[in-house]
Amino acid sequence: MKKILKLKYIAEYALIVVGVILSAFPQIVKWIFYLSGGLIILFNIIRYLIYRNKKNPYSMIKMIFYVIIGGGLIILPTFLEIGIPLVAGSFIMMNGFERFVNAFMVRNQEKKWVLPLVVGIIYFFFGFYVLAEYKHISETIIRVIGVFLIVIGIAKQINKINDNKSEADKTPKVLEVNSYKVDD
């Protein structure tokens, strides 16, 4: 099993580790944005102050641009915290409404329509719940993303191990070296 520790599995291990971190600590995403935005602002202000009197000065326009980008990264988690549940809840509500309407259209064709109606109502109210409880839903979405990353990492690792085993099975165990021709 020494093959598992090779570097070709590093991406799968990274997916699993990031998934575990996101699942266990969903608030870390917010702090990563805060830290990266703050570092961009700090780095560019220091860079401007150090290189402003040099032969090739650091442009004030570049500094302002990067400070705006850093500020955007600091503000972004707030928008994501509201935006992701808003978009997800809206799509779920629309899906529920479409299922509700389709159930009544199927009813006119004398087909089974009660189950699609119930599912449509459930979807609609679940979408409304997502919109109403956006603060807790955003953390849940981050945890779900973390779980999906764990599953994807494990599945990719299993596929690579199986591919390596199948390639090893295809190589012949014994090589014949007696098949050469001698000219007389």
Side-chain angles (χ1 to χ4, degrees):
M1 282 290 153
K2 291 182 181 179
K3 289 183 179 181
I4 293 177
L5 298 175
K6 288 188 177 181
L7 288 178
K8 64 182 175 181
Y9 296 106
I10 196 77
E12 289 77 18
Y13 289 135
L15 280 174
I16 294 169
V17 168
V18 169
V20 168
I21 291 171
L22 287 178
S23 296
F25 310 105
Q27 292 296 325
I28 200 166
V29 173
K30 188 183 297 185
W31 290 104
I32 289 171
F33 278 102
Y34 292 158
L35 183 65
S36 60
L39 287 175
I40 288 172
I41 291 171
L42 184 67
F43 174 75
N44 282 286
I45 290 175
I46 290 172
R47 190 172 174 188
Y48 174 75
L49 293 174
I50 290 173
Y51 292 109
R52 69 178 177 191
N53 294 328
K54 302 289 180 179
K55 186 176 181 180
N56 291 330
Y58 188 67
S59 171
M60 185 175 214
I61 295 172
K62 278 186 182 178
M63 188 221 27
I64 292 171
F65 177 72
Y66 284 116
V67 167
I68 290 171
I69 289 177
L73 283 175
I74 291 172
I75 295 171
L76 188 62
T78 306
F79 289 123
L80 291 177
E81 199 171 79
I82 296 169
I84 290 174
L86 180 69
V87 171
S90 298
F91 278 120
I92 294 170
M93 278 182 72
M94 286 188 315
N95 190 331
F97 184 72
E98 288 176 9
R99 289 175 185 260
F100 184 79
V101 170
N102 287 338
F104 280 110
M105 290 174 63
V106 170
R107 179 181 176 205
N108 294 337
Q109 298 172 359
E110 298 179 8
K111 294 183 181 178
K112 295 180 182 179
W113 61 278
V114 176
L115 185 62
L117 178 71
V118 171
V119 171
I121 292 170
I122 291 171
Y123 271 47
F124 184 82
F125 284 115
F126 182 67
F128 183 76
Y129 174 76
V130 169
L131 289 174
E133 293 290 328
Y134 68 89
K135 177 77 172 156
H136 302 291
I137 298 297
S138 63
E139 289 181 11
T140 304
I141 290 171
I142 291 172
R143 288 181 197 262
V144 169
I145 290 171
V147 169
F148 278 126
L149 289 176
I150 293 169
V151 171
I152 289 169
I154 291 171
K156 284 187 169 204
Q157 192 170 17
I158 290 170
N159 285 340
K160 279 192 176 181
I161 290 171
N162 288 339
D163 287 345
N164 288 343
K165 285 182 181 178
S166 66
E167 287 177 13
D169 292 341
K170 290 179 182 176
T171 57
K173 302 292 182 205
V174 179
L175 296 176
E176 291 189 28
V177 291
N178 298 350
S179 59
Y180 61 92
K181 186 176 181 181
V182 178
D183 291 335
D184 290 329

